[in-house]
């Protein structure tokens, strides 16, 4: 998407080939969220969804959460999302996969 390319250029970050390597997500208040570049689902309940990334995880906390769509590397979660926290990442130069 051109939007993500423009954001990476503004941040002066990201791979030169334009491939997005981190998780991208958008959250809509009281509606849910759309997450990209997800490897797999680690766990899910009405209060928390754990999304596995290439490095680390995203913990999505909220209320009445439901995995509405999971297709390839995209996940759509319905419900009221209160927080999204990244865990277990070693950073750009760190290890782990």
């Amino acid at each position: 998407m051109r939007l993500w390319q423009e954001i990476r250029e503004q941040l002066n970050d990201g791979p030169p080939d334009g491939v997005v390597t981190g998780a991208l997500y958008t959250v809509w208040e009281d509606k849910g969220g759309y997450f990209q570049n997800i490897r797999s689902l680690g766990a899910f309940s009405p209060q928390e969804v754990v999304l596995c990334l290439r490095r680390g995880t995203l913990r999505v906390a909220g209320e009445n959460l439901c995995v509405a769509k999971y297709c390839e590397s995209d996940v759509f979660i319905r419900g009221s999302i209160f927080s999204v926290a990244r865990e277990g990442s070693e950073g750009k130069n760190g290890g782990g996969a």
Side-chain angles (χ1 to χ4, degrees), residues 8-94:
R8 280 194 313 272
E9 288 171 2
Q10 289 295 317
L11 295 174
N12 195 24
D13 194 13
D17 61 3
V19 176
V20 177
T21 58
L24 301 173
Y25 60 90
T26 302
V27 174
W28 293 274
E29 186 175 353
D30 295 326
K31 300 290 183 190
Y34 181 71
F35 300 80
Q36 294 178 285
N37 298 330
I38 304 303
R39 288 259 172 146
S40 63
L41 292 175
F44 60 92
S45 73
Q47 294 80 33
E48 181 179 68
V49 178
V50 178
L51 304 172
C52 300
L53 309 172
R54 183 171 182 195
R55 293 186 179 150
T57 60
L58 284 181
R59 288 192 177 272
V60 181
E63 189 175 80
N64 299 319
L65 300 180
C66 168
V67 177
K69 179 181 178 182
Y70 178 39
C71 181
E72 294 181 20
S73 65
D74 296 349
V75 177
F76 178 55
I77 299 173
R78 289 190 191 275
S80 296
I81 295 175
F82 303 145
S83 68
V84 178
R86 186 167 179 161
E87 297 179 348
S89 175
E90 299 286 330
K92 288 184 182 180
N93 299 319

